[in-house]
Amino acid sequence: MHLFTPRLLQWMTTGLIVISLAVSLGCSNNTQAAKPADPPVVGIVQVEQKDVPIYSEWIGTLDGFVNADIKAQVSGYLMKQTYTEGSFVQKGQLLFEIDPRPFQAAVDQALGQLAQANGQLAQAQAQFTQAEAQVA
């Protein structure tokens, strides 16, 4: 069941128009007599047939021929983007520069641990050689 029938909507629209006219006339504080309106300007134009361009506006999304998701293989702070959006890129091309300092720190730490392990190995070998000498 429809709440607003077409006839009811017509009456409501007419009522709103009458109310708005009454409010606008009642709120005007123009005490001077109304000036007679200028006569309307009417122009005469010769009718002619011609082509008229038809324009349409559409909303859409463009999608490239080949789209690729760019996913980082490592995480880090982005220092520079070396390509422009929408440009063609080649396989192996540098796309981003990531801050190398955290990675260099990890490499330095690993090299330090390797040197420590080599020192422990050398110490164990020396102790082994000393123990062999004591046994002999």
Side-chain angles (χ1 to χ4, degrees):
M1 175 180 222
H2 294 287
L3 184 61
F4 296 110
T5 62
R7 186 155 178 94
L8 179 63
L9 286 175
Q10 183 181 13
W11 277 103
M12 288 174 65
T13 306
T14 305
L16 284 175
I17 291 172
V18 168
I19 290 171
S20 63
L21 283 173
V23 169
S24 65
L25 289 175
C27 292
S28 71
N29 47 353
N30 187 2
T31 57
Q32 298 175 355
K35 292 188 341 184
D38 293 333
V41 178
V42 178
I44 300 174
V45 177
Q46 182 66 34
V47 177
E48 62 183 64
Q49 181 178 357
K50 64 180 180 178
D51 292 335
V52 178
I54 299 174
Y55 295 102
S56 297
E57 290 186 19
W58 301 90
I59 297 173
T61 303
L62 297 177
D63 202 18
F65 181 68
V66 176
N67 289 327
D69 292 329
I70 298 175
K71 296 179 184 173
Q73 294 178 350
V74 295
S75 62
Y77 292 104
L78 186 64
M79 299 290 283
K80 184 167 58 168
Q81 177 179 340
T82 60
Y83 72 97
T84 56
E85 286 288 331
S87 65
F88 290 103
V89 294
Q90 302 298 324
K91 181 178 180 179
Q93 178 181 344
L94 180 66
L95 301 177
F96 298 102
E97 267 187 47
I98 298 176
D99 186 9
R101 292 177 294 186
F103 303 111
Q104 187 61 48
V107 168
D108 292 343
Q109 183 180 9
L111 289 175
Q113 290 172 348
L114 177 63
Q116 183 180 9
N118 282 335
Q120 290 174 348
L121 175 64
Q123 186 178 12
Q125 285 176 340
Q127 288 175 352
F128 180 73
T129 305
Q130 186 181 14
E132 275 186 337
Q134 286 178 355
V135 170

